[in-house]
Amino acid sequence: MTNIEIRIRNVYNALSNSEKKAADYFLADVESLFHLPIAQLAENAGVSQVAWVRLAKTLGFDGLKNMKRSLFSELNSSAAEDEDKSRFIFTDIKDYAGLPDVFKAVKSGSIQSIEDTVSLLNADVVDAVVTKLIEARSVKLFGVGASALVAEDFYNKLLRIGSNVCFSHDGHIQLTYAANTREGDVCFFISHSGMTKEVNEAFDIASQTANATMISLTRLGKNPLAVKSDYELYTSSPEINHRSGAMSSRISQLIIIDVLFTAMANRDYDNVIQNLIRSSESCRTHRMI
């Protein structure tokens, strides 16, 4: 699946009706984008030429020509996948025939989520976020439900390398340390939808502090949390409904956390390695062997 297809699937519900028609046509025949002129694309999709241009700009391109160039480059630089994973990824949980299908579905969904999320990473944004995290006076983490598990994982990692970091599963405590945000702090908000009420409330409180950095980790697409952040990190996951239990979205969020942690360790290796050694040694007496 190309990066453009991934982006369309993630923002599809936010598209206008005419943009959805253009998107549907594109998804049904990807290569038609650079084989046909815009007038023919518009006629075939039953929309105006403007709808195609708007779709391209919604996906982050300057226009349709730029979108065509990106697609051409991607199709010619990546090998086609032999296995069709979609049969397992986009199947409702109740429709699996047995454990072999369950095994394949979980594997395929996780792999697809990881590959798609990594393809969305913007090196400049990640570099800036890593710099902010390293230089932060303190790092404050926010997330509820499944996203709280991801926030806790990041909390544990940052503790091990000596970062001044705080996190609590208690939503009221999150509001408390949001209210105590100070200049130089980095506030990191995790919400798959970007619309979680508690996380957005904490954001609004923390953002009242001047010169604090607001970072969001959400799924790709327009959402309240990403729109108002200083830096946005995006994930992609092939979940089709709430019955998937936030499995692939959690995997994609954890991948971003691992990328950030690894980049921080790489950037500040001499200090990080000493902290990792000390934190490991502190627990040594509690091991059975």
Side-chain angles (χ1 to χ4, degrees), residues 24 285 288:
D24 290 338
T285 58
M288 295 296 292

Side-chain angles (χ1 to χ4, degrees), residues 100-166:
D101 273 7
V102 172
F103 299 159
K104 290 177 182 178
V106 172
K107 182 193 76 170
S108 297
S110 296
I111 292 173
Q112 190 72 55
S113 178
I114 292 169
E115 291 178 344
D116 292 353
T117 294
V118 171
S119 74
L120 295 176
L121 286 174
N122 181 311
D124 291 336
V125 173
V126 172
D127 183 68
V129 168
V130 168
T131 298
K132 291 292 184 181
L133 289 168
I134 291 174
E135 297 177 351
R137 188 189 75 94
S138 72
V139 178
K140 302 178 187 297
L141 305 176
F142 303 85
V144 299
S147 293
L149 302 177
V150 177
E152 184 176 32
D153 180 70
F154 201 16
Y155 171 71
N156 293 337
K157 284 179 165 65
L158 292 179
L159 274 182
R160 289 202 62 202
I161 61 174
S163 294
N164 181 17
V165 58
C166 61

Side-chain angles (χ1 to χ4, degrees), residues 33-34 36-38 64-72:
L33 186 67
F34 50 77
L36 299 175
I38 187 172
L64 193 61
K65 288 184 179 180
N66 185 239
M67 180 174 164
K68 286 183 177 183
R69 284 195 295 269
S70 178
L71 177 65
F72 181 82

Side-chain angles (χ1 to χ4, degrees), residues 46-59:
V47 298
S48 67
Q49 295 182 31
V50 174
W52 278 97
V53 175
R54 285 203 306 265
L55 174 63
K57 291 187 174 180
T58 298
L59 298 176

